[in-house]
Amino acid sequence: ERLDAAALRTQRFAKDPDEEVAVLAGALADFTERLDAFVDRERNFTRDASHELRSPLTVMAMGVEMLESEDLSSRGRTSLARLGRAVRDMRELVEAFLLLAREADDAFQRERLCVNELVEVELERARLTRGDPLQTRLDADGELWTNAPRQVLASLIGNLVRNAASHGDGEVLASVSAGALLIEDRGKGMAPEELERAFDPFFRGAESRRGGHGVGLTIVQRLSDRFGWPVEIESEAGVGTRVRVRFPDAEFDSTSTGAAS
């Protein structure tokens, strides 16, 4: 997994190479050394970020919880709720970035997960952490099961739900069918030119709600590409947006049905 740059140096060759071979070998050796240094920096950053970013966010979250028990004015309580939502969003964003920074997929422990259950958890979390009233509904003709890392699948679903809540009009609808999860909102939707940029980092449509970081769908696409879950998006201005994620290797149990709201 790590190339030996020294093996490409001409000093290690059994015979003196001609000029073209020497130049090529030297270039490959230099590139290998730069690549190794880059990988080391990425690993160090991932390790340091997991500690340096999580710790202050944890402190802020504890501070918010302590202040919630204080007698605050209406304005102060509104500001505190906004701060709490921002801290939770940042913690989830940091976790998602750390997931994406992991080098090998075998670093993730896979388990058999019910997509329906994770969707219910994320819908409930969206209702509890949102300042404005939010209506949610989960429609399912059965239970969808897949083998995946829990953190990864929860991050993907959570970003879809939060994106729908940010761009919708107080309503998020989810539906589970054989091999697919659909998350939709009844918001402003996107114009064709905005739809083309929906997965661009830090892009936010003109009609998006205040808040958010513009990276939710980018994270969804990167996770879906990495784990083989194709993602499709449809949107119509004035109607809303639908995002469908397909799970090619999932199992669908049609004997278990139900809906959560």
Side-chain angles (χ1 to χ4, degrees):
E1 296 182 357
R2 178 179 288 269
L3 298 176
D4 182 10
L8 296 169
R9 297 298 180 186
T10 56
Q11 294 86 343
R12 296 274 294 271
F13 288 11
K15 297 181 181 180
D16 291 336
D18 57 33
E19 183 178 357
E20 290 82 0
V21 172
V23 170
L24 177 60
L28 288 173
D30 292 341
F31 174 76
T32 300
E33 290 177 348
R34 293 198 304 272
L35 183 61
D36 286 343
F38 171 77
V39 172
D40 287 339
R41 288 196 301 271
E42 287 295 301
R43 287 173 176 165
N44 292 336
F45 171 78
T46 302
R47 182 191 63 242
D48 296 341
S50 65
H51 173 73
E52 298 297 335
L53 295 179
R54 285 172 173 168
S55 296
L57 288 172
T58 300
V59 172
M60 286 187 283
M62 294 174 60
V64 169
E65 291 179 0
M66 293 178 62
L67 286 173
E68 286 176 345
S69 62
E70 299 293 328
D71 185 16
L72 302 177
S73 64
S74 176
R75 183 177 180 182
R77 193 157 294 280
T78 300
S79 298
L80 182 63
R82 186 179 298 114
L83 175 62
R85 290 194 300 273
V87 171
R88 284 188 290 269
D89 286 347
M90 285 303 300
R91 292 179 71 173
E92 291 167 354
L93 186 60
V94 168
E95 292 296 329
F97 283 155
L98 292 175
L99 286 175
L100 291 170
R102 293 190 182 183
E103 183 178 0
D105 290 346
D106 57 11
F108 298 103
Q109 183 176 358
R110 294 175 179 264
E111 56 183 301
R112 191 168 185 265
L113 300 172
C114 179
V115 175
N116 304 53
E117 294 178 0
L118 292 178
V119 172
E120 290 178 359
V121 170
E122 295 301 332
L123 290 176
E124 176 68 15
R125 180 179 298 178
R127 289 196 299 270
L128 294 176
T129 59
R130 180 183 166 101
D132 302 331
L134 178 67
Q135 294 183 347
T136 65
R137 189 176 80 242
L138 170 61
D139 296 326
D141 297 327
E143 291 183 344
L144 184 63
W145 294 83
T146 186
N147 290 318
R150 180 176 293 273
Q151 287 178 288
V152 172
L153 189 54
S155 178
L156 181 141
I157 295 174
N159 275 285
L160 284 177
V161 170
R162 287 191 296 275
N163 184 76
S166 296
H167 294 79
D169 192 17
E171 184 177 17
V172 176
L173 308 176
S175 61
V176 175
S177 58
L181 166 66
L182 176 67
I183 303 291
E184 59 182 312
D185 63 71
R186 303 289 173 79
K188 301 295 184 181
M190 289 182 281
E193 58 273 16
E194 293 176 324
L195 186 59
E196 292 180 356
R197 299 188 58 196
F199 293 109
D200 290 354
F202 306 108
F203 174 74
R204 298 174 61 196
E207 298 295 338
S208 63
R209 292 171 50 87
R210 295 184 61 186
H213 307 280
V215 295
L217 288 180
T218 303
I219 292 173
V220 168
Q221 185 180 49
R222 290 184 62 184
L223 291 176
S224 68
D225 289 345
R226 184 166 178 177
F227 290 90
W229 302 326
V231 58
E232 307 162 359
I233 182 170
E234 302 173 357
S235 187
E236 184 178 350
V239 177
T241 302
R242 297 157 56 94
V243 181
R244 178 180 285 102
V245 181
R246 300 188 184 279
F247 301 92
D249 298 328
E251 301 175 6
F252 190 69
D253 182 5
S254 59
T255 62
S256 301
T257 60
S261 61

